[in-house]
Amino acid sequence: MTVGTIPHPVAHDALVCVDAPGMAISGHDGQLRGDGVQGMYHDGRRTLSRNVLTIGGIEPEPLSGHVVAAGTVRYLAMRRFAADTTPDPALVVERTRFADGRERIVVRNTGRRPLYFPVELALGADLVPLDALRAGRRPVELPARVAAAGLGWTAPDGMSVRAAAEPAPDTALAAGATLRWEVGLEPARSWAVELRVFAEPAPGRAGPRAVFGQPPWTEPRVRCDDVRVAAWVDQGLRDLRALLVVPDPELSTTVLPVVGAPWQLAPAGRDALWTARMLLPLGTRFASGVLRLLAARQGVRSLPRLGEDHGRIPHTLGRPGEGVRYDCAGSTALFVTLFAEACHWGLPAAETTTLLPALVRALGHLSRTFGERSGDLVRLGPDGPAPCELQAQTYQAARHGADLLDAHDLPGGGALRERAEQLGAAFRRAFRAEDAAGEYYAAALDPGGRPIPVASSAMAHLPASGILDDTGNRAVAHRLTAPDLDCGWGLRGSSARTPGYHPLAARGGVVRTHDTCVAVAGLAGAGHLDAAQQLFAGLLDAAPWFQYRMPEMHAGEQRAEGHAPVAHPLACRPLARAAGAILPVLVAFAGIRPDVPTGRVTVRPGGPLDLGELELRDLRIGGEPFTVRVNRAGQAIVEAAAEGLELAI
């Protein structure tokens, strides 16, 4: 490390509230001191870096601080005076901060005598981008100016911010960036002030907009003997709602989730596709919007620097004038799979027809990734490695794509299906490996075509993809639940037997909620319910430690009695893919497999669930309510379904 540089700041123990594109990050005392990434944010810029409250020149003593909703955090503090005759606090201070830029402060006189004191807010703003803070930059606060009912600041690029108070301060000082009120309180009375932060983007920059109204999915009602299941679902959907933005003003009805808070408060194609897949049981409207928006940004030319290719689905959407990046392998395959799965859940025929040209373009790009020879594996570049999960995602998408082409009387389905089978056969030959713990599939092939001898969570993507036969799925179920991969809190990214393994290594050592849930849903769907339930039990045990706001990743430490799971210091929490990951698990446990185009839905659980009885109420299949209950004997009872839908139980 170069002397003088600052490491990536951490926020794993901070209170983070988000209502995208707004966010607030603070310690548990509620003060914003500009340390690390503390502050209030809008569209990835820190609008307020400092907000320190004092009463009578002294900071209140903190009592508690906690997130009360996805976009709201509440702090409680007290202020004692030397003249107090009892140990009880003379003043109780409640601060409620909202991610959209508001803060309300209430001071209550809980004593027996009148009190007179000044209240001051020392404010500061630097308007620095979050990416710069993440890179270790320590910005200098901008000079303040007195503005209407408060203070204002302007960045060199023209972005400005104003902090206004109601009631207006008795004194506003630009030199010290301070707002001051003289307050007198009788016993049992209170005084309140609301601070609002208004941000104006730099000229020519129009960032994503907040989403108002109901989210584009239905609200399910989940009941389970294990109450932690419903708690995770409820918290996850609240967090997902808070992560939604309108990224494109020309598609004002289309919303995407940002990746996660605090580090990636911008949408990304791959994450949007995964999130939309997870939410398909709650209706296809969200998936339809994601598909339309990404189709509108499909590659139209060959531009290797950005990874653009005709038909390729973008990863980062960019801002107007900043370009779009196409450098994420697998996004195009996920686009095709989301399209196919949305059709199975009941994507309306009119929307399917509108999206077919984008599907054909995506399949054209996908066909070019197979290579020039039959049986070629999918690589990252002409001379790059061949990742395990990319083979599975490409195989699954090719099979789905072939079925869609056939269903709509379009050419190319047979050839695409043949190439998929060749890919599957090549994968099973080239990736199979074995170590002391048994058979597994390598994390990748190196550029020379040799397996990289690491057992990893990449195998999580194999069972659901269909690329393995029953024997292969059985081997994966055995290997994923071996103690070197299953740490007891979920699935490690790589085996603990790997030389140099460390449980906090972001590229392999950690447990990722999304990967573990993909493995659980895939194993349950492939008939390996016991293995699926073992992995899920670890995640479910971890969830209460994180208040059911599952982090992007947590340490892959071996579970031990009396120890708690440890969030990775650089993890996003909430993360869209982690927030929604439990839904496909529950659908797989219930054995729900819809096929709306044929008018049929299969509901066949794999057996009794360790969770006890599970009821999924108000799902959506074909746009109509669907409710299923899995009793303690593992039998499915469908209690509500669309008229005319054929049930196979």
Side-chain angles (χ1 to χ4, degrees):
M1 180 183 295
T2 304
V3 175
T5 61
I6 306 166
H8 190 312
V10 299
H12 63 289
D13 59 347
L15 295 179
V16 178
C17 62
V18 60
D19 189 2
M23 178 174 64
I25 307 172
S26 72
H28 288 252
D29 63 355
Q31 306 280 38
L32 301 180
R33 308 178 191 277
D35 297 338
V37 289
Q38 284 189 3
M40 301 192 77
Y41 293 81
H42 180 79
D43 191 21
R45 297 280 290 267
R46 185 159 67 176
T47 54
L48 207 62
S49 55
R50 191 161 51 91
N51 181 0
V52 177
L53 170 69
T54 57
I55 296 176
I58 297 175
E59 293 185 26
E61 299 172 82
L63 297 173
S64 70
H66 59 279
V67 176
V68 295
T72 309
V73 63
R74 178 179 179 267
Y75 312 92
L76 199 65
M78 65 181 181
R79 175 69 164 90
R80 296 180 291 179
F81 296 87
D84 290 345
T85 58
T86 71
D88 299 330
L91 296 175
V92 172
V93 183
E94 181 180 353
R95 302 176 76 171
T96 306
R97 183 171 295 140
F98 303 89
D100 63 4
R102 294 176 292 135
E103 179 172 335
R104 180 172 174 79
I105 301 171
V106 180
V107 181
R108 293 185 174 86
N109 184 348
T110 57
R112 298 180 179 179
R113 60 188 178 91
L115 293 172
Y116 303 90
F117 48 86
V119 174
E120 289 188 346
L121 288 176
L123 307 179
D126 51 34
L127 296 179
V128 69
L130 179 61
D131 287 347
L133 294 172
R134 183 168 55 192
R137 178 180 165 191
R138 275 187 183 163
V140 176
E141 288 184 356
L142 296 165
R145 65 179 185 279
V146 175
L151 300 169
W153 299 263
T154 301
D157 68 353
M159 181 181 181
S160 63
V161 65
R162 179 170 63 92
E166 173 60 40
D170 299 323
T171 307
L173 299 174
T178 303
L179 306 181
R180 180 183 174 103
W181 296 262
E182 298 294 339
V183 178
L185 275 184
E186 295 294 326
R189 302 300 297 270
S190 63
W191 175 86
V193 62
E194 183 168 290
L195 187 72
R196 297 181 68 94
V197 180
F198 303 91
E200 290 292 335
R205 289 175 63 96
R209 300 201 321 266
V211 174
F212 301 101
Q214 294 300 312
W217 55 74
T218 63
E219 293 293 331
R221 288 180 287 168
V222 175
R223 183 182 62 80
C224 185
D225 287 347
D226 191 326
V227 296
R228 298 174 299 176
V229 171
W232 183 351
V233 172
D234 292 344
Q235 182 63 52
L237 290 178
R238 285 196 296 268
D239 285 337
L240 279 172
R241 171 63 183 83
L243 294 172
L244 292 179
V245 295
V246 178
D248 189 336
E250 296 181 1
L251 296 170
S252 59
T253 60
T254 300
V255 300
L256 258 66
V258 299
V259 174
W263 305 117
Q264 300 182 67
L265 215 63
R270 178 192 60 183
D271 295 79
L273 290 163
W274 271 115
T275 306
R277 288 182 68 187
M278 294 169 178
L279 294 181
L280 281 172
L282 309 184
T284 61
R285 190 157 65 95
F286 180 48
S288 175
V290 171
L291 290 167
R292 287 197 310 271
L293 190 145
L294 293 178
R297 305 287 184 90
Q298 268 183 304
V300 296
R301 55 188 174 170
S302 177
L303 197 62
R305 182 175 61 86
L306 295 176
E308 185 175 355
D309 181 52
H310 183 73
R312 190 172 190 183
I313 296 299
H315 175 53
T316 58
L317 304 182
R319 306 174 193 274
E322 292 184 358
V324 178
R325 281 182 26 221
Y326 298 80
D327 55 350
C328 181
S331 290
T332 307
L334 289 172
F335 177 89
V336 174
T337 295
L338 174 61
F339 191 157
E341 291 177 347
C343 290
H344 285 300
W345 283 94
L347 185 69
E351 297 183 42
T352 301
T353 301
T354 301
L355 287 164
L356 279 177
L359 172 71
V360 172
R361 292 192 295 268
L363 291 175
H365 168 76
L366 204 64
S367 296
R368 292 190 289 275
T369 68
F370 279 106
E372 298 178 355
R373 299 170 301 172
S374 295
D376 278 353
L377 294 161
V378 184
R379 296 186 173 275
L380 299 178
D383 301 314
C388 171
E389 67 273 22
L390 184 57
Q391 316 308 309
Q393 291 166 6
T394 304
Y395 174 88
Q396 185 177 23
R399 290 294 304 267
H400 279 314
D403 291 344
L404 286 167
L405 292 175
D406 290 350
H408 293 90
D409 296 322
L410 295 171
L416 189 58
R417 190 176 290 106
E418 182 180 352
R419 292 302 297 274
E421 295 311 318
Q422 292 167 352
L423 172 64
F427 173 83
R428 292 187 290 273
R429 287 193 305 269
F431 277 77
R432 186 188 178 282
E434 195 166 347
D435 63 10
E439 180 182 342
Y440 68 95
Y441 291 86
L445 301 187
D446 66 19
R450 296 174 295 272
I452 297 173
V454 175
S456 75
S457 63
M459 287 186 286
H461 299 261
L462 301 180
S465 71
I467 200 169
L468 298 179
D469 56 19
D470 290 343
T471 301
N473 282 328
R474 188 161 47 250
V476 167
H478 173 75
R479 200 63 184 79
L480 290 180
T481 53
D484 62 319
L485 281 174
D486 178 10
C487 73
W489 299 116
L491 184 61
R492 291 184 176 100
S494 61
S495 167
R497 299 171 181 266
T498 306
Y501 172 84
H502 190 279
L504 280 172
R507 296 186 180 274
V510 295
V511 173
R512 294 184 182 269
T513 299
H514 167 249
D515 277 351
T516 303
C517 285
V518 167
V520 171
L523 290 171
H528 297 280
L529 183 61
D530 289 344
Q533 293 195 108
Q534 176 184 321
L535 289 174
F536 185 66
L539 274 188
L540 196 57
D541 287 344
W545 293 99
F546 300 123
Q547 295 77 50
Y548 299 99
R549 175 178 274 183
M550 296 301 288
E552 173 186 7
M553 50 189 172
H554 56 273
E557 292 183 309
Q558 192 64 42
R559 184 172 178 175
E561 186 69 30
H563 290 197
V566 177
H568 193 280
L570 305 182
C572 282
R573 184 162 47 127
L575 181 85
R577 282 179 290 133
I582 189 174
L583 287 169
V585 167
L586 300 181
V587 167
F589 281 172
I592 303 171
R593 295 185 179 179
D595 192 0
V596 171
T598 65
R600 182 182 176 91
V601 59
T602 301
V603 187
R604 289 178 183 157
L609 300 175
D610 296 342
L611 305 170
E613 186 165 277
L614 172 66
E615 183 178 74
L616 306 177
R617 184 170 292 277
D618 292 338
L619 305 182
R620 287 295 186 273
I621 296 180
E624 298 296 327
F626 187 86
T627 295
V628 63
R629 177 166 54 89
V630 181
N631 64 22
R632 293 178 184 87
Q635 300 164 324
I637 300 96
V638 175
E639 299 181 347
E643 187 176 349
L645 193 64
E646 181 184 348
L647 301 175
I649 299 178

